[in-house]
Amino acid sequence: MAETFEAYRTRVLSYLGDEEPISVQQATPSQLDRRLRDVEPEELIRRPAPEKWSIAELVAHLAAWAERMGYAQQDASLSAGVFRALRESNLRLLESVPRARWVECYGVHEVRGRQTVEEFVRLEAAHDLNHLRQIDRIVGGCM
């Protein structure tokens, strides 16, 4: 059975705990680069199970959020570069908005419904940690 969004949110937010979400988001591109540095090309595209994403697919997902973008066909190094550029741009945008406004400003997600900037920032940091953990498990399984 597929994980519900509520279960997913609870699980990934537990990875974040009391960490500052902006700090996590700032660190993720470097954390990702460090993890990719010594991984052999064939390991980047190996799926740990038929229904699980490879490292290359996880990195493409971090860069371009839509699975229909062909994650399996993306180069992990290029995806990591795109992710870094987009993340840095998004963080600059967030820095331009006073934190007090993060609870007032919101968008409406097609699955999650109404989501404030503050909620999005926390969930995005937790999402980063979730995928870094997945990469660690894949790499750990190769050794």
Side-chain angles (χ1 to χ4, degrees):
M1 184 167 119
E3 183 177 43
T4 66
F5 174 70
E6 289 303 318
Y8 165 80
R9 178 175 33 210
T10 299
R11 178 174 56 82
V12 300
L13 286 174
S14 76
Y15 304 152
L16 182 62
D18 292 330
E19 288 189 65
E20 212 296 302
I22 291 294
S23 296
V24 170
Q25 289 189 39
Q26 288 170 331
T28 299
S30 295
Q31 292 289 325
L32 187 59
D33 289 344
R34 185 179 59 76
R35 284 166 170 81
L36 296 178
R37 190 173 308 133
D38 297 322
V39 178
E40 296 295 326
E42 61 272 7
E43 291 304 323
L44 289 171
I45 60 172
R46 183 185 63 80
R47 285 183 162 197
E51 72 285 356
K52 299 291 185 181
W53 286 342
S54 68
I55 293 171
E57 289 171 298
L58 289 165
V59 178
H61 169 72
L62 286 168
W65 302 351
E67 188 172 5
R68 64 183 170 267
M69 301 299 280
Y71 291 164
Q73 289 75 44
Q74 303 303 314
D75 176 274
S77 177
L78 294 175
S79 293
V82 169
F83 172 70
R84 178 180 289 280
L86 291 172
R87 176 53 58 84
E88 289 172 355
S89 177
N90 287 335
L91 288 170
R92 279 193 301 276
L93 176 63
L94 286 169
E95 288 171 2
S96 74
V97 179
R99 286 211 179 191
R101 301 249 7 246
W102 288 13
V103 295
E104 300 166 1
C105 300
Y106 67 92
V108 180
H109 187 275
E110 66 183 54
V111 174
R112 301 176 201 152
R114 185 181 189 275
Q115 191 173 34
T116 67
V117 171
E118 181 179 64
E119 291 166 336
F120 176 79
V121 167
R122 287 186 48 74
L123 190 60
E124 194 61 21
H127 175 260
D128 287 1
L129 296 174
N130 180 55
H131 290 310
L132 290 173
R133 290 168 64 109
Q134 287 176 304
I135 291 169
D136 289 344
R137 282 194 302 274
I138 294 169
V139 171
C142 296
M143 298 177 171

